Amino acid sequence: PIQGAPDWLRHRAVCVVEYTIENTTNAPAEALLILSVLDDVRKNHRMAIKAVDGGVIAEKDGGLLAFIDTGKASPLEVETDTDSTILLGTLPAGGKVRCFGYIPAWKVKPREHAMFRGMAPGLAEKTKSYWEELMAPGARIELPSDLLTNVIRASQVHIMLAAGNEENGSRIDAWTSADRYGALESEAQPILRGMDMMGQQDFARRGLDFFIARYNEAGFLTTGYTIMGSGWHLWTLAEFVDRSQDTDWFKEVAPEVARLCKWIVRQREKTKRFDAHGSRVPNYGLSPPGTIADWGRFTNTTFQEAHYCTGLREAARVLGSIDHPDAKALAESAEEYRDCILDAYRWTQSRSPVTTLGDGTWVPAQPPIFFI
């Protein structure tokens, strides 16, 4: 464990791969196992290996990339060529041998490979204990379907494995796509909400802190993708406060939360305009047109407005629970915001073609995009 960091954060982690060769017949049988170490699986680039006491190693940039422990391979013989380890020979009936591959996640000198020799059984037990302790605070769900029960558990484990962290674990970067990109200000919120609902509140709080640290000078939140996630984040944060009742933490971050709320209020003021006849423009009181995802269409959508409005309303509510001085004004703005969204929706609906249902009934349109 790292001093001052959460217990789950370990810099000296190692991947262990176990290979088992077993003769399940009633007679001696020939056995063969060939192992290679790839630097990049997509390029299929095999690394050079060399024999050492008790196995073979592969090096990269002056460090140990992998160590293959063949100390328990007897009675098979171990041979090596430039880029492969070969275990071959005769296994007796019912015979079984094992070898282990170690891939350290920290900088290890090649000569230090011996530290891993024979460690696999102990590391397996440590890994089991590590994950049991990590999952212990969460909700325990037992369903008639073992498969579904394990899917729920595995989902939490996958989220934890995919996440990054900063400041020695004080903040968690809840990656949205495990192998593509990190936390997005929008799509990462359901991850935090789900972990919170499963009882993983420490993960959720540190994930929220990651985004709070990214409020910019103007007051809104973005990681470079959209700004729509600002409202989604506030909504997720308010639910966390409800479930965790962590008022001490919330009082610490409340000034920043209020600052983001005020940014939404200021954005709404930009669209409070009137036309030449003195009537409100269709998107009166909404946020300025913007994008909500990959496509570059600047408009007002029910999706964006609903998230801004709900985030503002829920944040104002929990701010009120700690008697924050801005809570009342923010709540009033959120209520007005809701009315403006409904006005824009009905205005757009009244100008949209009706749609037909399967039974021939005609109904008003349900527009996801406001006419502006």
Side-chain angles (χ1 to χ4, degrees):
I2 303 166
Q3 186 175 3
D7 188 58
W8 48 260
L9 181 60
R10 310 293 178 94
H11 286 168
R12 291 168 62 89
V14 59
C15 171
V16 183
V17 186
E18 178 180 339
Y19 299 92
T20 302
I21 310 170
E22 182 177 6
N23 180 7
T24 59
T25 70
N26 295 323
E30 294 301 309
L32 175 67
L33 175 66
I34 302 175
L35 299 176
S36 298
V37 179
L38 274 64
D39 175 33
D40 188 329
V41 69
R42 291 167 295 184
K43 298 178 181 178
N44 198 31
H45 178 216
R46 295 187 179 191
M47 301 296 288
I49 61 174
K50 66 180 181 181
V52 294
D53 185 23
V56 298
I57 63 172
E59 302 177 24
K60 181 180 180 183
D61 300 330
L64 178 68
L65 180 60
F67 167 57
I68 301 175
D69 184 354
T70 59
K72 300 292 185 181
S74 179
L76 299 184
E77 295 181 1
V78 181
E79 298 181 359
T80 60
D81 58 22
T82 56
D83 59 12
S84 297
T85 302
I86 305 170
L87 282 69
L88 74 166
T90 302
L91 271 182
K96 181 189 296 185
V97 299
R98 290 185 175 90
C99 66
F100 301 90
Y102 298 86
I103 306 173
W106 76 101
K107 194 75 171 178
V108 178
K109 296 178 180 178
R111 66 174 180 270
E112 295 175 328
H113 67 271
M115 75 169 73
F116 299 114
R117 194 178 298 127
M119 288 184 64
L123 290 176
E125 193 58 37
K126 281 188 175 183
T127 302
K128 180 181 178 182
S129 298
Y130 173 86
W131 282 105
E132 286 177 345
E133 291 174 9
L134 202 54
M135 296 293 288
R140 298 185 64 87
I141 297 178
E142 298 291 341
L143 302 174
S145 168
D146 289 340
L147 174 61
L148 186 54
T149 299
N150 287 330
V151 166
I152 293 172
R153 291 171 179 160
S155 297
Q156 297 174 65
V157 170
H158 177 80
I159 288 171
M160 293 177 183
L161 285 173
N165 74 88
E166 57 187 22
E167 296 291 337
N168 261 0
S170 64
R171 296 187 291 271
I172 288 178
D173 176 3
W175 274 49
T176 306
S177 175
D179 68 336
R180 291 292 186 275
Y181 46 83
L184 300 182
E185 68 288 323
S186 53
E187 296 170 22
Q189 304 308 319
I191 297 174
L192 300 181
R193 182 174 186 260
M195 292 295 275
D196 182 26
M197 293 176 72
M198 291 304 300
Q200 297 290 351
Q201 291 182 340
D202 183 71
F203 183 99
R205 178 182 60 78
R206 294 174 193 271
L208 291 168
D209 281 333
F210 176 86
F211 289 112
I212 293 172
R214 281 160 176 76
Y215 294 2
N216 59 24
E217 290 185 7
F220 64 90
L221 165 65
T222 185
T223 58
Y225 184 50
T226 71
I227 59 175
M228 190 221 66
S230 297
W232 207 340
H233 162 75
L234 288 174
W235 186 4
T236 303
L237 184 147
E239 285 193 347
F240 172 81
V241 174
D242 287 338
R243 277 188 282 267
S244 69
Q245 293 296 300
D246 191 347
T247 54
D248 290 339
W249 171 80
F250 184 51
K251 287 178 180 178
E252 289 181 7
V253 302
E256 284 295 278
V257 173
R259 191 164 70 90
L260 175 50
C261 290
K262 292 176 183 177
W263 175 82
I264 294 178
V265 173
R266 292 198 303 274
Q267 299 314 296
R268 294 190 56 239
E269 293 300 317
K270 296 178 180 179
T271 62
K272 290 184 176 181
R273 297 178 293 107
F274 298 86
D275 61 20
H277 303 288
S279 300
R280 291 181 173 185
V281 295
N283 66 334
Y284 180 94
L286 305 186
S287 64
T291 61
I292 62 172
D294 294 350
W295 51 91
R297 182 175 183 179
F298 281 72
T299 186
N300 287 106
T301 64
T302 56
F303 189 79
Q304 174 167 302
E305 304 303 334
H307 277 82
Y308 275 155
C309 181
T310 304
L312 178 62
R313 181 194 68 204
E314 293 303 292
R317 179 180 58 79
V318 292
L319 285 169
S321 70
I322 60 170
D323 298 323
H324 192 280
D326 296 321
K328 185 174 183 295
L330 295 174
E332 291 173 352
S333 179
E335 186 64 25
E336 182 193 45
Y337 197 174
R338 178 181 179 276
D339 293 339
C340 290
I341 292 173
L342 290 174
D343 289 344
Y345 182 85
R346 291 166 180 149
W347 187 92
T348 303
Q349 187 179 52
S350 69
R351 287 159 177 78
S352 301
V354 292
T355 57
T356 181
L357 303 180
D359 61 0
T361 304
W362 293 86
V363 297
Q366 299 179 34
I369 298 176
F370 298 126
F371 295 160
I372 56 174

